[in-house]
Amino acid sequence: MPHLTLSALEKRYGAAAPAVASLNLKVAKGELLGLLGPSGCGKTTTLRMIGGLIPVTSGQIDVAGRDVTALPTHQRDMGIVFQNYALFPHMTVAENIAFGLEMRRTPRAEIKPRVQQALDLVRLPDLGHRKPRELSGGQQRRIALARALVIRPSILLLDEPLSNLDAKLREDMRTEIRDIQQRLGITTIFVTHDQVEALAMCDRIAVMRAGHLEQLGTPHEIYEQPATRFVADFVGRANQIAATRDADGTIRAGALVFRGPPGPPGQVTALIRPHRLGFAPAEGGNTAAGIITRVTYVGDLLACTVDCGGVSLTVEQPTLPGLPTPAVRDQVRISWRIEDTLVFPAE
Amino acid sequence: MIHRALIALLFAFLLAPVALVFPMSFSADRVIAWPPSAFSFRWYIALFNETALRQAALNSLLLALGVTLLSLAIALPAALAIARGGFRGRDSLMALLTAPLLLPTIVLGLALLIVFAGYGLIGSWLGLAFAHLLITLPYALRVLSTALATIPAAVEEAAASLGAAPGAVFRRVTLPLMTPGVIAAAAISFLVSFDEVVISLFVVGPKLTTLPVAMYRYVESRTDPLVAAVSALLVLFSLAIVLLLDRTVSLRKAIGK
Ligand SMILES: Nc1ncnc2c1ncn2[C@@H]1O[C@H](COP(=O)(O)OP(=O)(O)OP(=O)(O)O)[C@@H](O)[C@H]1O
Ligand SMILES: [Mg+2]
């Protein structure tokens, strides 16, 4: 039985188009599910409905087989980490963390060690006496996480818990949250608009678009077998080529001709991930001749823009010592595997 | 530089009458005259024996305290309902409750006189308290609404998610966070009520009068520096309250400027 079930969930603000519509999701116990999508697609709205912070327009939310749709937030037993931390500014860090335990009438003697445990868990063991304003942004995040975890909620809801952090801290926190979540085995919904974050952390990802569920799958499925052009474009980077497909699967974009998976002929968009393109010949794959028009060095990657018969393709190669560095105006042949060509009907 | 000088000049102009009151209150003369020919404590001693003024001061104090408590008791739930309640017409309610501020007080006073006369409320505690509430409530409501508006909704939502029922959210999170606003609202209500003359003039009676009205009546009939002594004490009293307020909360923050 799934731990959390959303059935035909819908939310309308006023008369406008629904912010979330006909959303069906099943989340297993202990699973970390990512809600991924561009700004305004309804991620926060979905999370707030699950947490009971806003009423649903229609549909049902079940937790462990029990309908909680009409339950107020304080009876839902969910830990929520808000986008802007929302720590209590008038309480110390320890008091912030103890708050949920006090509300649960946990015996005094038990509160103290559990607060300390929670502080240890987020690796800030000595900050209990500070006020939230005396903490850095990253520390506040972790305290907010500790405060949500200490009550041992049945479900953890995280709304962009890593936004506004610098790149290094972001990566650390990513593994940290994932670690803690795995260790506690806590069912978690993780909202993000950052696809790298979603791919790196989640068991499964629900990609949302304009209030609808676009695709649900493991990070691998989402990345390798995107169900729609939107998913392919939103998750990972891709060269997009407007083209036509012949009945035999040949794809033509001006002078560029290559093969892709078979499908109905007509106007299509072909997508190829930049790092799946290479300069070394691929056995039985696609090849195209072109001229390098731009070379961008970003440290671990070298991005070359190649003009292939009027179609501009970006090729990304890891920078390896000893490899000849391509230069602008070099004549090159690029190649890629046929299965790395993703083809979707043109919209 | 010129700006500074201009501002200093403006302040001097505004504060001169207030500052003048202090030397005047120590005058030894029989009538108000500037400069005093000699200094003494005689008018402070005279004030001590002026039972009518003392009674009026006590009345004003009690009235201001009562009005302050009532203001908070009404404005706090109203501000909460307006800021957090999801009902229609919140803006209209706010406008209605702050409308008395827009009316000329003399019109308000006259209206109250007409209404109160029919119910025997003239010169009664009830009538006075009601009249003062009319003008303290808008201030209290504004200050409390501002205080509430600065509390992020997410903080209250976080409390709820941690298992706090609405009452507990208010007691443990909302109220402590708006304490500066509550103190400011109380202080402003108190000062506005304590200071009120125009409306009071219409609704006081022979048995019950307030300090500002009593002072007004006093200077109508007498010209000795006794009122200067009262004024000096009043200035110090108001200053003490404002300083207290400033130490607990920043006044500017409370008003939301
Ligand atoms: N309180 C509200 N009243 C009216 N419309 C709202 C409200 N909250 C959200 N919306 C609308 O609902 C849609 C979904 O908003 P939501 O906050 O869920 O987006 P999101 O996916 O979390 O975006 P972001 O990544 O920017 O946080 C948006 O079009 C938004 O304008
Ligand atoms: Mg959001």
Side-chain angles (χ1 to χ4, degrees):
Chain A
M1 186 176 63
H3 190 198
L4 172 70
T5 309
L6 310 183
S7 317
L9 208 56
E10 177 167 315
K11 178 69 191 180
R12 278 173 193 276
Y13 296 106
V20 172
S22 53
L23 184 64
N24 293 293
L25 267 183
K26 287 181 167 49
V27 188
K29 177 117 191 90
E31 182 176 7
L32 197 165
L33 180 96
L35 286 183
L36 175 67
S39 187
C41 72
K43 307 179 296 287
T44 298
T45 301
T46 306
L47 200 77
R48 292 174 66 81
M49 283 193 283
I50 299 173
L53 298 172
I54 50 171
V56 309
T57 303
S58 64
Q60 187 172 326
I61 303 168
D62 294 274
V63 175
R66 174 165 165 249
D67 181 1
V68 301
T69 319
L71 227 52
T73 303
H74 67 277
Q75 291 170 6
R76 286 207 188 184
D77 190 29
M78 295 188 185
I80 306 180
V81 175
F82 292 81
Q83 192 159 354
N84 49 4
Y85 332 115
L87 294 174
F88 307 129
H90 58 300
M91 300 183 195
T92 65
V93 163
E95 286 165 352
N96 262 278
I97 299 177
F99 185 86
L101 297 174
E102 285 165 16
M103 290 300 127
R104 268 148 229 265
R105 312 215 179 286
T106 310
R108 289 236 152 255
E110 202 184 313
I111 291 183
K112 221 173 162 217
R114 277 185 59 185
V115 167
Q116 193 53 49
Q117 257 174 26
L119 283 169
D120 293 342
L121 190 69
V122 295
R123 293 204 238 137
L124 294 172
D126 307 319
L127 294 189
H129 60 279
R130 294 236 198 128
K131 283 285 179 71
R133 65 169 173 278
E134 299 162 346
L135 302 179
S136 74
Q139 289 168 336
Q140 292 187 32
R141 286 272 145 122
R142 285 195 242 182
I143 297 305
L145 186 64
R147 184 179 68 175
L149 284 172
V150 78
I151 59 173
R152 298 176 188 152
S154 75
I155 293 176
L156 183 62
L157 304 175
L158 308 172
D159 193 355
E160 315 238 5
L162 304 181
S163 59
N164 325 321
L165 293 184
D166 65 65
K168 182 79 180 69
L169 190 59
R170 233 181 141 90
E171 245 167 75
D172 289 351
M173 287 280 298
R174 213 188 268 164
T175 37
E176 215 164 289
I177 290 181
R178 179 63 173 160
D179 272 4
I180 292 172
Q181 186 267 336
Q182 294 271 287
R183 230 176 319 143
L184 304 182
I186 184 167
T187 310
T188 304
I189 309 291
F190 181 97
V191 162
T192 178
H193 62 256
D194 182 336
Q195 38 109 2
V196 180
E197 211 163 272
L199 292 171
M201 292 177 64
C202 301
D203 292 310
R204 281 191 309 157
I205 299 173
V207 182
M208 292 182 69
R209 176 193 194 183
H212 293 271
L213 181 62
E214 190 87 353
Q215 186 177 3
L216 176 67
T218 63
H220 192 266
E221 286 164 358
I222 296 285
Y223 190 81
E224 297 291 343
Q225 298 146 35
T228 64
R229 199 190 71 90
F230 174 82
V231 175
D233 186 31
F234 189 75
V235 181
R237 279 153 302 154
N239 290 294
Q240 290 200 39
I241 308 157
T244 55
R245 173 156 61 185
D246 296 347
D248 64 352
T250 307
I251 294 164
R252 297 171 198 281
L256 182 66
V257 179
F258 54 95
R259 278 173 298 150
Q267 296 288 324
V268 295
T269 305
L271 287 99
I272 311 167
R273 307 269 185 219
H275 69 279
R276 297 282 164 90
L277 293 169
F279 295 121
E283 228 21 78
N286 287 314
T287 59
I291 298 173
I292 294 184
T293 56
R294 192 190 311 145
V295 177
T296 314
Y297 174 79
V298 288
D300 51 350
L301 282 179
L302 198 63
C304 306
T305 309
V306 181
D307 181 65
C308 300
V311 177
S312 195
L313 296 177
T314 302
V315 182
E316 279 179 6
Q317 296 284 286
T319 47
L320 293 172
L323 228 59
T325 310
V328 174
R329 278 192 292 281
D330 279 1
Q331 301 262 357
V332 291
R333 288 198 77 78
I334 58 176
S335 52
W336 68 98
R337 303 184 311 160
I338 291 170
E339 55 270 39
D340 283 336
T341 314
L342 303 167
V343 185
F344 300 98
E347 286 186 355
Chain B
M1 203 53 220
I2 292 176
H3 272 234
R4 287 262 184 94
L6 275 178
I7 288 173
L9 206 68
L10 185 68
F11 266 99
F13 176 72
L14 287 175
L15 291 178
V18 177
L20 223 57
V21 155
F22 286 89
M24 192 84 88
S25 69
F26 290 104
S27 167
D29 299 342
R30 289 196 53 91
V31 290
I32 291 185
W34 186 260
S37 59
F39 291 100
S40 78
F41 282 104
R42 79 180 266 201
W43 294 112
Y44 283 94
I45 296 163
L47 174 61
F48 194 72
N49 295 321
E50 187 68 43
T51 44
L53 275 178
R54 259 176 39 213
Q55 185 55 46
L58 190 65
N59 290 345
S60 272
L61 193 68
L62 288 175
L63 182 65
L65 281 175
V67 165
T68 301
L69 288 179
L70 282 173
S71 284
L72 289 183
I74 298 169
L76 196 56
L80 272 173
I82 290 172
R84 298 288 189 264
F87 59 93
R88 274 168 190 281
R90 287 146 64 194
D91 293 344
S92 323
L93 185 61
M94 184 78 179
L96 188 73
L97 285 170
T98 49
L101 275 189
L102 299 175
L103 291 176
T105 38
I106 194 140
V107 174
L108 217 53
L110 195 62
L112 285 172
L113 175 68
I114 294 166
V115 176
F116 282 7
Y119 294 95
L121 287 170
I122 298 296
S124 70
W125 283 103
L126 193 64
L128 263 177
F130 184 81
H132 280 200
L133 263 181
L134 225 50
I135 44 168
T136 56
L137 260 182
Y139 286 109
L141 191 64
R142 266 220 73 88
V143 172
L144 291 177
S145 295
T146 309
L148 264 175
T150 58
I151 302 176
V155 174
E156 291 173 348
E157 291 174 351
S161 78
L162 292 166
V169 174
F170 179 72
R171 248 181 307 111
R172 296 285 313 266
V173 176
T174 315
L175 194 57
L177 285 179
M178 64 184 298
T179 303
V182 173
I183 293 174
I188 290 171
S189 298
F190 184 89
L191 286 178
V192 165
S193 162
F194 197 77
D195 207 35
E196 162 55 38
V197 198
V198 180
I199 295 180
S200 299
L201 266 175
F202 284 92
V203 291
V204 292
K207 292 225 184 67
L208 179 61
T209 192
T210 64
L211 183 58
V213 173
M215 285 169 68
Y216 181 75
R217 296 265 156 81
Y218 191 94
V219 290
E220 269 183 336
S221 54
R222 322 253 290 263
T223 52
D224 58 46
L226 183 87
V227 282
V230 185
S231 302
L233 291 178
L234 273 184
V235 169
L236 288 180
F237 181 61
S238 307
L239 212 61
I241 292 181
V242 171
L243 280 181
L244 195 77
L245 180 64
D246 196 56
R247 296 228 7 201
T248 29
V249 293
S250 155
L251 187 62
R252 269 205 249 172
K253 208 169 131 193
I255 299 172
K257 287 284 166 67

